[in-house]
Amino acid sequence: MKPIIACIQLDIKFGDPDFNYQQVEEKVALAVEQENPNIIVLPELWTTGYDLTRLDEIADHDGEKTKTFLSNLAKKYNVHFVGGSIAKKSKDSVTNTMYIVDNSGKFIHEYSKLHLFKLMDEHHFLVSGTEKGLFEIGGLKSAGVICYDIRFPEWIRAHTTKGAEVLFVVAEWPMPRLHHWKTLLLSRAIENQCYVVACNRAGSDPNNEFAGHSLIIDPWGEIVAEANEKAGIISAEIDAEVVKKVRSQIPIFDDRLPQYYQ
Ligand SMILES: NC(=O)CCC(=O)C(=O)O
């Protein structure tokens, strides 16, 4: 089976979780109707946006509300979720956390953003995660990372050398660096010979205009789906056999010489 993956490029309402849960519910219904996906991907911090100064009030306590919300939608529509990320409030800190939920509604994995993005003040309000983003969903060996993480090729490599064939990227990437977004994603796909499924947000907040241009890139570096800058949905079929074919044609994982890289 070749799973269909859909990215929901959302225009997130700043600091308004109630509105955003409601709009995600509507967009998921639309994505299911239009694209018939097996896996749905959401963007970064989709419940709150970058309203970091109010996280005490609006972050999700232990992510409980979001996990239940995604689990109910997963069961209702028989879809897996790479559930973007949300601000997760734990005892004395807040993380930027991604939840993976399968189509039976079961919670599979969580990953909290490792590299905090100082230009958007994350280091003042959030703490880094400590776990890798490796998981398997819909039969695909996968990794999940969050936005700024894509600037750290060694972090992505730490996942592909452990078997990841699909890299999910969830983001709130601003328009002035659209060129970096596309170039970095294409590079991560080509150098790791993996699918890259990158879900960005659309719209703006008080501090940034966001780039949209969610992308699905195959392991040869071809763009198979791309959104424009507006809110919308893109989808593509993922074929794990293509990863194997590209990796056997140019066997970079066999040819690596890590003993020389330190
Ligand atoms: N939300 C983010 O991590 C943004 C990262 C970004 O814009 C960059 O240029 O890197």
Side-chain angles (χ1 to χ4, degrees):
M1 148 157 178
K2 298 177 192 166
I4 297 171
I5 303 188
C7 297
I8 299 182
Q9 182 169 290
L10 201 65
D11 183 353
I12 297 159
K13 190 159 176 201
F14 190 67
D16 193 340
D18 289 344
F19 180 93
N20 290 317
Y21 283 113
Q22 180 62 38
Q23 70 156 338
V24 164
E25 201 167 331
E26 288 163 15
K27 301 289 182 203
V28 166
L30 188 66
V32 168
E33 189 186 315
Q34 282 180 2
E35 319 287 337
N36 194 26
N38 305 98
I39 303 175
I40 291 181
V41 191
L42 300 173
E44 183 182 17
L45 292 180
W46 62 265
T47 61
T48 56
Y50 264 86
D51 193 356
L52 301 180
T53 59
R54 289 178 58 237
L55 285 185
D56 227 25
E57 193 189 323
I58 59 178
D60 188 5
H61 284 259
D62 291 322
E64 289 305 334
K65 179 167 178 172
T66 305
K67 281 197 271 187
T68 305
F69 175 84
L70 292 175
S71 172
N72 288 340
L73 285 178
K75 283 186 276 188
K76 179 169 178 185
Y77 294 114
N78 187 28
V79 291
H80 308 287
F81 274 101
V82 175
S85 74
I86 57 121
K88 173 192 174 190
K89 193 174 163 157
S90 306
K91 228 192 292 171
D92 19 60
S93 62
V94 183
T95 49
N96 183 341
T97 299
M98 170 191 287
Y99 292 116
I100 313 301
V101 175
D102 79 7
N103 60 351
S104 71
K106 193 169 135 214
F107 166 71
I108 298 290
H109 189 63
E110 79 179 70
Y111 165 71
S112 294
K113 188 174 189 174
L114 180 64
H115 305 95
L116 300 179
F117 190 51
K118 296 194 175 83
L119 195 57
M120 283 162 71
D121 283 341
E122 284 190 315
H123 59 307
H124 292 310
F125 300 97
L126 301 170
V127 300
S128 292
T130 52
E131 300 286 323
K132 279 208 177 72
L134 281 170
F135 55 90
E136 189 160 330
I137 196 81
L140 298 172
K141 292 180 190 156
S142 302
V145 297
I146 303 178
C147 208
Y148 184 48
D149 281 335
I150 64 170
R151 288 190 186 269
F152 300 86
E154 54 278 62
W155 183 230
I156 311 302
R157 189 68 117 206
H159 293 76
T160 52
T161 50
K162 292 274 181 301
E165 297 180 338
V166 181
L167 175 69
F168 290 93
V169 179
V170 306
E172 290 211 26
W173 194 283
M175 186 60 96
R177 295 182 296 284
L178 173 59
H179 163 57
H180 293 191
W181 166 253
K182 285 187 78 163
T183 307
L184 290 165
L185 292 171
L186 283 163
S187 305
R188 298 299 81 88
I190 294 168
E191 76 198 357
N192 290 287
Q193 302 174 315
C194 65
Y195 279 96
V196 169
V197 177
C199 185
N200 196 16
R201 66 160 290 180
S204 55
D205 72 10
N207 305 308
N208 288 290
E209 186 195 348
F210 294 96
H213 284 268
S214 294
L215 284 162
I216 303 179
I217 305 168
D218 78 12
W220 194 250
E222 301 292 342
I223 294 174
V224 289
E226 180 171 4
N228 59 23
E229 71 284 0
K230 298 203 174 68
I233 300 165
I234 58 165
S235 74
E237 201 174 74
I238 300 294
D239 184 354
E241 286 308 308
V242 177
V243 179
K244 292 178 181 51
K245 198 170 141 207
V246 172
R247 288 182 181 180
S248 72
Q249 199 177 350
I250 304 178
I252 59 148
F253 288 94
D254 295 337
D255 292 345
R256 291 175 71 240
L257 296 168
Q259 66 271 32
Y260 291 103
Y261 300 163
Q262 293 300 324

